[in-house]
Amino acid sequence: MTRPTIAITMGDPAGIGPEIIMKALAHPEVHAICQPLVVGDAGRLRQAGRIVGATIGVDSLADAGAAAFGMDAVQCVDLKCVPEDLPFGQLSPVAGETAYRCIAAAVEIVQAGQAQGICTAPLSKEALHAAGHKFPGHTEMLAHLTGTPEVSMMLVSPKLRVIHVTTHIGLIDAIARIEPGLVERVIARGHAVLVKAGIAEPKIGVCAINPHAGENGLFGHGEEAEKITPAVEACRAKGWDVRGPLPADTLFFLAGRGDYDMVVAMYHDQGHGPIKVLGLEAGVNITVGLPVIRTSVDHGTAFDIAGTGVADERSLIEALRQAVELAPKSQAA
């Protein structure tokens, strides 16, 4: 099978993105499964390479078509947007602007057919906002850049897959936003990506909002019956194996032991907590519903250790694997 080209965005250049990219692309197994094309700043990657003691160099490319993939040098579409004296570990609008430009350029590369997926290193939401780009995160930015009206965040670890009905909004706002149509669309997006990944009849568990799934109205104000049950019933009417609303604490235990292929979480921390307990180094973030494949590390910019060379590249390697798994099937679909 032909190795897909995966566009790797550098993320916030003041964070650990440049370091984990240089570490990850020194692994031969990455090159065995894909053609990694970094979208960022070649000078910053070289700085990061010196910090981590990388033996691989960096080629500065004017465009994606000039890439010559191999183990000798990282292929970088060079946006030339990072000042040499930009410090690591400090929030800045310059770094936020760079992160935005990396994403925008990667979308153009994929849309032009020069790459089959995007894998993102972390950015700082605060730096992004300081640069004037008022997006809550990668997910919403990619939806805007691709003209996609609605997408979902899915987190994947070796033992658990979680898709979110709501993400970067407050808990009170999240509960207000949840409604049967939204829940049904999120379940449908999750079902579709699992089928494309080779799970013909996925088992999907849907979290309740309240403790004990509301205990028949004892907890909450009937949110389960009003907001979630109609969506579950609509999905079951399609012949899908969807169950819920279920108490979240029990559901995550059952999913972790393999009873479910995916959990539908109602809000950010309900889904993120269990995944992160299993280990940040193994977690991958997938944006579901975009016209392009996008995976990401499941950790932040780690400004506190940026520039020290100690950042762990394993989540990025796993995110690249997930992008490769999804890209060929999506092309064939």
Side-chain angles (χ1 to χ4, degrees), residues 59-132:
D59 287 345
S60 173
L61 311 177
D63 60 73
F69 298 104
M71 279 293 299
D72 294 335
V74 171
Q75 301 301 291
C76 175
V77 176
D78 193 359
L79 304 183
K80 301 181 186 295
C81 51
V82 181
E84 289 186 15
D85 60 353
L86 182 77
F88 282 94
Q90 293 184 24
L91 187 140
S92 78
V94 172
E97 179 63 28
T98 296
Y100 176 82
R101 289 183 59 187
C102 289
I103 291 292
V107 168
E108 291 180 359
I109 288 168
V110 173
Q111 289 178 332
Q114 295 176 303
Q116 286 69 57
I118 297 172
C119 181
T120 59
L123 55 73
S124 162
K125 298 175 181 64
E126 191 174 350
L128 191 68
H129 284 212

Side-chain angles (χ1 to χ4, degrees), residues 86-238:
L86 182 77
F88 282 94
Q90 293 184 24
L91 187 140
S92 78
V94 172
E97 179 63 28
T98 296
Y100 176 82
R101 289 183 59 187
C102 289
I103 291 292
V107 168
E108 291 180 359
I109 288 168
V110 173
Q111 289 178 332
Q114 295 176 303
Q116 286 69 57
I118 297 172
C119 181
T120 59
L123 55 73
S124 162
K125 298 175 181 64
E126 191 174 350
L128 191 68
H129 284 212
H133 303 291
K134 306 298 184 181
F135 298 100
H138 272 120
T139 302
E140 296 83 1
M141 190 183 347
L142 283 160
H144 170 76
L145 289 169
T146 59
T148 306
E150 189 175 88
V151 297
S152 298
M153 176 188 292
M154 178 184 284
L155 301 183
V156 177
S157 75
K159 291 186 176 182
L160 197 61
R161 300 180 188 91
V162 183
I163 193 167
H164 294 69
V165 174
T166 65
T167 50
H168 297 120
I169 56 176
L171 184 54
I172 293 174
D173 296 330
I175 293 170
R177 182 173 296 183
I178 296 166
E179 52 86 19
L182 175 59
V183 175
E184 183 180 349
R185 294 193 299 275
V186 171
I187 296 171
R189 280 191 283 272
H191 185 274
V193 79
L194 293 183
V195 170
K196 285 184 178 180
I199 303 172
E201 297 181 355
K203 297 178 180 178
I204 300 172
V206 181
C207 287
I209 294 172
N210 294 300
H212 299 204
E215 200 77 79
N216 294 317
L218 183 62
F219 306 130
H221 301 278
E223 289 87 355
E224 281 71 29
E226 175 190 344
K227 296 171 175 287
I228 303 173
T229 299
V232 172
E233 291 175 347
C235 290
R236 290 181 65 84
K238 299 174 186 177

Side-chain angles (χ1 to χ4, degrees), residues 19-28 30-31 313 316-317 320:
E19 294 165 77
I20 61 173
I21 288 172
M22 294 303 295
K23 283 185 170 184
L25 298 192
H27 289 260
V30 169
H31 299 267
E313 73 276 22
L316 179 58
I317 293 173
L320 285 166

